[in-house]
């Protein structure tokens, strides 16, 4: 029978053996190096939970930063690519602009050379299969003015074709009078710009403008003092003016007669000037080398010739300006359209004639 000092009876757990409990503590100490009971303390679960929470927080934060970095990479690539595309487009525009300027410069030089050759042929200055550039009939500044006009006139024709296209579209669309007036004004102002260009070129070389070599061959056939005859213009436009009121018929006929009278006066004046110029040249005398006329008198006649070309262009401009004063806006628009198409057909005829089939020689 066990003594009372070694065993205790617990009312809940039964017999309690302290020696056995001590031996269990010793075994645990040997194994772990410290005393502990099988029952954990209250702080341990809290510390474990805090550690897990911290690890989880670090894990989520690291994953989030990694996701943001991955998401930002495509956006950065897109921005860099867009910047590269913009820079490439800018360089492309610069190269295109430089190329166009180079073409314009080359065209300008080609026109200069063609004009020099043309004048050399006209004046018979060939020397042993070539020509003496020092004996050309115009100075470098004059040649530059002519070449500038040639280049500007090429742009003028291109712009004129666009104006005619817009005017035709406006008439076909039956736009209102106010909008149609805008198209008419644009075409009118474009013709007036041509007269200003011709005035500057005439001062540079009046023979160049009067010869019409800046126009196509078919246009040259109908040339009158450096341009078209206003009376012939009215004949071309006549069928497009109908129907006309009695007052309009009266005003158009008066305009046609006035144009013919002015043309006759200018033609007679030009013929007299030409005869006077012939006499001035014939009154010259032979010196060592080339034939020299009375320079002062001849130059005065040429200045008067410049005035004749300007007066002829003034008559053409006045004829165009009279049309809106006589006709309605739709009639004026039709007339300008027919006039533009008429010149387009003359240029097309020149191209067809130049490219016609030829029999072998």
């Amino acid at each position: 029978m066990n003594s009372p000092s070694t065993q205790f009876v617990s009312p809940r757990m039964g017999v309690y053996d302290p020696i056995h409990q001590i031996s269990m503590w010793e075994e645990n100490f040997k194994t772990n190096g410290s005393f502990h009971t099988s029952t954990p303390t209250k702080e341990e679960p809290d510390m474990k939970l805090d550690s897990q929470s911290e690890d989880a927080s670090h894990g989520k934060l690291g994953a989030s930063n990694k996701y943001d970095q991955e998401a930002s990479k495509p956006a950065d690539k897109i921005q860099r690519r867009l910047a590269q595309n913009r820079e490439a487009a800018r360089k492309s525009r610069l190269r295109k602009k430089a190329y166009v300027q180079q073409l314009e410069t080359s065209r300008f030089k080609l026109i200069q050379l063609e004009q020099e050759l043309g004048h050399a042929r006209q004046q018979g200055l060939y020397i042993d299969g070539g020509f003496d550039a020092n004996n050309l009939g115009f100075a470098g500044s004059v040649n530059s003015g002519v070449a500038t006009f040639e280049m500007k006139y090429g742009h003028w024709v291109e712009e004129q074709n666009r104006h005619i296209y817009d005017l035709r579209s406006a008439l076909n669309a039956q736009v209102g009078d106010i909008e149609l007036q805008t198209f008419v004004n644009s075409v009118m102002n474009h013709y007036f710009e041509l007269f200003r260009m011709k005035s500057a070129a005439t001062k540079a070389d009046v023979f160049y403008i009067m010869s019409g070599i800046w126009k196509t061959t078919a246009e040259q056939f109908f040339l009158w003092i450096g341009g078209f005859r206003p009376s012939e213009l009215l004949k071309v436009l006549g069928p497009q003016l109908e129907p006309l009121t009695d007052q309009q018929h009266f005003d158009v006929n008066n305009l046609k007669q006035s144009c013919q009278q002015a043309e006759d006066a200018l033609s007679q004046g030009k013929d007299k000037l030409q005869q006077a110029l012939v006499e001035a040249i014939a009154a010259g005398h032979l010196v060592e080398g080339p034939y020299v006329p009375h320079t002062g008198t001849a130059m005065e006649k040429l200045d008067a010739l410049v005035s004749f070309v300007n007066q002829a262009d003034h008559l053409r401009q006045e004829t165009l300006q009279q049309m809106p004063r006589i006709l309605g806006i739709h009639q004026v628009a039709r007339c300008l359209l027919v006039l533009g198409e008429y010149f387009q057909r003359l240029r097309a005829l020149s191209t067809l004639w130049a490219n016609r089939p030829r029999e072998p020689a």
Side-chain angles (χ1 to χ4, degrees):
M1 181 176 179
N2 295 332
S3 63
S5 61
T6 59
Q7 289 185 351
F8 298 90
V9 179
S10 172
R12 295 182 179 181
M13 301 179 62
V15 179
Y16 174 70
D17 188 353
I19 299 175
H20 177 72
Q21 183 65 40
I22 293 172
S23 64
M24 289 180 61
W25 288 349
E26 290 177 349
E27 287 293 325
N28 288 333
F29 178 77
K30 293 178 180 179
T31 303
N32 299 326
S34 62
F35 288 102
H36 67 83
T37 60
S38 60
T39 304
T41 61
K42 293 183 179 180
E43 286 81 1
E44 288 180 346
D46 294 339
M47 292 173 60
K48 188 174 181 180
L49 289 175
D50 291 343
S51 176
Q52 292 178 352
S53 176
E54 184 177 358
D55 293 341
S57 175
H58 281 295
K60 290 181 180 179
L61 182 60
S64 177
N65 291 338
K66 184 177 180 181
Y67 176 78
D68 292 342
Q69 292 175 358
E70 293 295 330
S72 64
K73 288 183 179 179
D76 293 340
K77 290 182 179 179
I78 292 174
Q79 292 297 329
R80 287 197 300 269
R81 186 172 299 173
L82 289 176
Q84 292 173 355
N85 291 341
R86 286 193 294 268
E87 180 65 17
R90 186 184 69 84
K91 292 181 179 179
S92 177
R93 288 194 297 269
L94 291 176
R95 288 194 298 268
K96 182 178 179 181
K97 183 178 180 180
Y99 178 69
V100 171
Q101 291 176 347
Q102 184 180 4
L103 288 179
E104 290 292 342
T105 302
S106 300
R107 181 184 178 188
F108 182 83
K109 293 180 179 179
L110 179 60
I111 291 172
Q112 281 186 317
L113 181 59
E114 289 177 348
Q115 293 304 320
E116 290 175 0
L117 291 173
H119 279 264
R121 293 190 186 99
Q122 292 175 3
Q123 297 177 15
L125 296 177
Y126 285 94
I127 302 174
D128 296 332
F131 63 88
D132 185 0
N134 295 325
N135 291 329
L136 294 177
F138 52 95
S141 60
V142 175
N143 180 31
S144 178
V146 168
T148 300
F149 171 79
E150 186 98 5
M151 185 170 57
K152 288 184 177 180
Y153 180 69
H155 292 314
W156 185 92
V157 172
E158 295 175 359
E159 189 73 8
Q160 176 72 354
N161 292 335
R162 187 184 66 81
H163 280 300
I164 296 305
Y165 175 82
D166 292 341
L167 187 59
R168 184 189 301 112
S169 300
L171 285 172
N172 291 337
Q174 298 180 350
V175 300
D177 291 354
I178 297 178
E179 187 175 357
L180 188 59
Q181 183 70 56
T182 303
F183 289 103
V184 168
N185 292 341
S186 297
V187 177
M188 286 285 193
N189 291 331
H190 196 57
Y191 277 112
F192 300 159
E193 176 62 23
L194 175 61
F195 299 144
R196 287 190 290 269
M197 290 164 47
K198 286 177 61 182
S199 178
T202 301
K203 294 177 182 178
D205 189 350
V206 64
F207 295 116
Y208 167 79
I209 293 296
M210 291 196 65
S211 67
I213 59 177
W214 47 282
K215 284 182 169 290
T216 59
T217 52
E219 290 176 294
Q220 293 176 28
F221 182 72
F222 298 98
L223 199 68
W224 173 77
I225 313 184
F228 59 85
R229 282 182 176 269
S231 60
E232 292 294 332
L233 165 66
L234 294 175
K235 290 179 182 179
V236 172
L237 300 179
Q240 303 299 322
L241 301 179
E242 299 296 341
L244 295 175
T245 64
D246 293 340
Q247 183 63 44
Q248 286 177 328
H249 271 293
F250 179 78
D251 292 337
V252 169
N253 288 332
N254 281 343
L255 179 59
K256 188 183 300 183
Q257 291 178 4
S258 298
C259 288
Q260 290 174 343
Q261 292 174 1
E263 291 168 8
D264 292 342
L266 286 174
S267 296
Q268 292 174 7
K270 183 182 72 69
D271 292 342
K272 292 180 179 179
L273 177 63
Q274 184 178 12
Q275 183 61 35
L277 186 59
V278 169
E279 293 175 356
I281 295 175
H285 57 279
L286 286 173
V287 294
E288 293 181 2
Y291 183 76
V292 180
H294 290 301
T295 306
T297 304
M299 293 302 294
E300 290 177 359
K301 304 303 180 184
L302 292 181
D303 288 338
L305 189 58
V306 171
S307 177
F308 272 97
V309 176
N310 290 334
Q311 290 182 54
D313 273 347
H314 180 71
L315 178 59
R316 285 183 272 265
Q317 181 170 336
E318 282 293 323
T319 304
L320 290 174
Q321 289 177 330
Q322 287 295 327
M323 291 169 55
R325 300 168 185 170
I326 298 174
L327 307 173
I329 184 61
H330 283 79
Q331 292 172 315
V332 175
R334 288 200 305 271
C335 288
L336 292 175
L337 177 60
V338 171
L339 180 60
E341 291 178 342
Y342 174 72
F343 292 129
Q344 285 178 338
R345 291 170 185 173
L346 286 178
R347 290 191 286 268
L349 179 61
S350 299
T351 302
L352 291 174
W353 175 254
N355 298 328
R356 70 190 186 281
R358 295 178 176 84
E359 296 181 359

